[in-house]
Amino acid sequence: MAQNKLFAQLNWVVALGGMMAPFAIAAAHADTVVKIGFSSPLSGPQAHYGKDNENATKMAIDDINAKGLVVGGQKIKFELVSEDDQADPRIGTQAAQRLVDAGVKAVIGHFNSGVSIPASRIYSDAGIPQLSVSTNPAYTQQGYKTTFRLVGSDSQVGGALGQFAVKTLKAKSIVAIDDRTAYGQGIADEFVKAVTANGGKVARREFTTDKATDFTSILTAVKAVNPDVIFYGGADAQAAPMAKQLKRLGLKARLMGGDMMNTPTFLQLAGADAAGHYSAVPGGVLNARPAGKAFETRYKARFHQDVVLLGPQFYDGVMLVAEAMKQAGSVEPAKYLPKLAAIRYSGVTADFAFTANGNLQKAPVTLSVVKNNAWTVESVVR
């Protein structure tokens, strides 16, 4: 009896082991989930930029997960943690803290300089790499080792526009207006510097807010200097009504702006009054890149819309993080951060390499003009 009981116990153990073995094997091969943070304005007047960024970030994560990412011998699955910063610095810092608390291993964002700059300290304190399209030079001038810029800075964009206004358009009377955000004021400052450096002169400097849509009083005031060029530092939602009001007031000035003006939204809102106005984008021509055209085609097929602006850079940001993790053999920021800082990577939008303070090396700037209700490339400068 005792012997039969012993055999029964042994059979139960063997059976239990056989049942548990598949679970043990499955556990050994289970994907390690790595959270990737994202933040941009997903509501409010700048939501079209933010959704574009989020779409492209999702594409990158899906592409990586579909292909399979192995880091240090372990299969990795990326999981997106998305936050709406509403283009507001206060809300943005709260979003940044939530991403840190969620345990993300990298942050792709934010979109606005005024949000990225205060948020960057939170990520730096947590040791989490932040890859942003924010263009204000101050973003990478804080001494943080965790900040990386995926595009050129306002110094390059504003500089290219200022030189173009003086040397190519031969503008004699120039006015600069900005919306007082970190982005708007920053790029306008760089434009003014470049105008002066190229022998031009800014006749008037004005400012408004990023919520305004009626610029009649400002434009009436600057009409006295008969401007050839009016530079606007701000978003498309303000630049478009400004273009229409220029026409209505009889001003013949060319409107110029940075990347936030170079969107389908500006064309839609300004209509026929968009013709002849200029913008510059911190980046090259997407469909001139080997993978750029394919990205555009896939993006449109999936989201049923064209790329809005800098979504492709967000896509590249995720890919850079994945590549740095692979090179380091670790998903931990402290271990893969040095690889990210030293990376050489051919992406959808650029050949990526960073300076010591996190700026993109050899960053191109594309100048465009509106012709036939479309942004048409004038030139690419580096």
Side-chain angles (χ1 to χ4, degrees):
M1 178 72 75
Q3 189 177 34
N4 290 340
K5 185 176 182 181
L6 177 61
F7 280 129
Q9 288 174 338
L10 287 172
N11 288 335
W12 180 82
V13 170
V14 170
L16 184 60
M19 291 169 59
M20 291 179 67
F23 292 105
I25 292 169
H29 293 280
D31 294 355
T32 296
V33 175
V34 173
K35 295 179 180 179
I36 301 296
F38 163 88
S39 191
S40 280
L42 299 175
S43 60
Q46 294 190 28
H48 56 300
Y49 299 118
K51 290 302 295 181
D52 180 49
N53 300 339
E54 187 181 46
N55 287 345
T57 303
K58 287 178 178 177
M59 266 185 69
I61 288 176
D62 289 348
D63 285 352
I64 288 168
N65 289 342
K67 186 176 180 180
L69 175 64
V70 177
V71 176
Q74 176 64 51
K75 191 175 180 183
I76 302 301
K77 181 181 179 181
F78 278 174
E79 179 182 284
L80 180 65
V81 182
S82 187
E83 287 284 347
D84 177 11
D85 62 33
Q86 299 180 37
D88 183 296
R90 181 183 61 83
I91 294 172
T93 52
Q94 294 171 356
Q97 190 59 58
R98 285 195 295 272
L99 289 175
V100 170
D101 293 344
V104 301
K105 301 300 185 183
V107 173
I108 317 299
H110 301 240
F111 176 70
N112 305 85
S113 294
V115 180
S116 276
I117 292 170
S120 63
R121 180 176 181 178
I122 295 170
Y123 301 131
S124 176
D125 289 346
I128 298 172
Q130 176 191 10
L131 295 87
S132 175
V133 297
S134 298
T135 54
N136 190 298
Y139 171 63
T140 53
Q141 292 173 348
Q142 303 169 95
Y144 301 148
K145 297 299 183 183
T146 50
T147 56
F148 297 89
R149 195 195 311 274
L150 298 169
V151 293
S153 71
D154 288 338
S155 299
Q156 294 160 301
V157 178
L161 286 167
Q163 181 178 6
F164 188 81
V166 175
K167 299 295 187 182
T168 303
L169 297 183
K170 308 295 182 184
K172 302 300 181 186
S173 180
I174 299 172
V175 170
I177 306 170
D178 72 77
D179 66 0
R180 293 288 101 170
T181 64
Y183 164 76
Q185 185 174 354
I187 195 169
D189 288 344
E190 296 299 332
F191 173 80
V192 170
K193 288 179 191 175
V195 167
T196 304
N198 284 277
K201 184 178 179 181
V202 174
R204 291 189 66 144
R205 181 77 187 262
E206 302 284 346
F207 64 90
T208 180
T209 75
D210 61 346
K211 306 295 189 297
T213 54
D214 185 353
F215 307 100
T216 305
S217 60
I218 291 176
L219 296 177
T220 300
V222 304
K223 192 174 182 178
V225 301
N226 192 28
D228 301 306
V229 164
I230 295 177
F231 178 86
Y232 178 62
D236 50 11
Q238 287 74 48
M242 188 178 291
K244 295 182 78 68
Q245 290 158 33
L246 279 174
K247 190 73 173 286
R248 191 173 69 236
L249 292 170
L251 284 155
K252 299 186 189 301
R254 302 290 185 94
L255 187 63
M256 300 185 82
D259 49 293
M260 290 182 74
M261 179 172 152
N262 187 294
T263 66
T265 298
F266 174 78
L267 301 176
Q268 293 161 7
L269 294 178
D273 295 331
H277 297 314
Y278 289 86
S279 70
V281 173
V285 180
L286 184 61
N287 60 21
R289 295 280 305 170
K293 187 65 178 176
F295 175 88
E296 283 185 316
T297 300
R298 291 199 304 124
Y299 182 99
K300 189 167 185 175
R302 176 168 176 177
F303 300 109
H304 309 293
Q305 66 175 56
D306 291 326
V307 171
V308 174
L309 185 59
L310 297 177
Q313 279 82 358
F314 277 72
Y315 180 94
D316 275 341
V318 178
M319 294 299 178
L320 285 164
V321 168
E323 179 63 24
M325 287 176 173
K326 281 196 296 184
Q327 291 183 16
S330 174
V331 300
E332 294 305 320
K335 294 184 178 180
Y336 82 78
L337 184 57
K339 296 296 184 182
L340 183 59
I343 206 160
R344 297 290 185 275
Y345 179 79
S346 181
V348 167
T349 63
D351 292 322
F352 286 91
F354 297 106
T355 64
N357 59 356
N359 285 319
L360 177 63
Q361 294 183 23
K362 299 179 180 178
V365 174
T366 302
L367 282 84
S368 300
V369 63
V370 180
K371 293 180 181 177
N372 300 318
N373 200 37
W375 285 109
T376 305
V377 174
E378 282 276 300
S379 62
V380 178
V381 297
R382 293 181 183 273

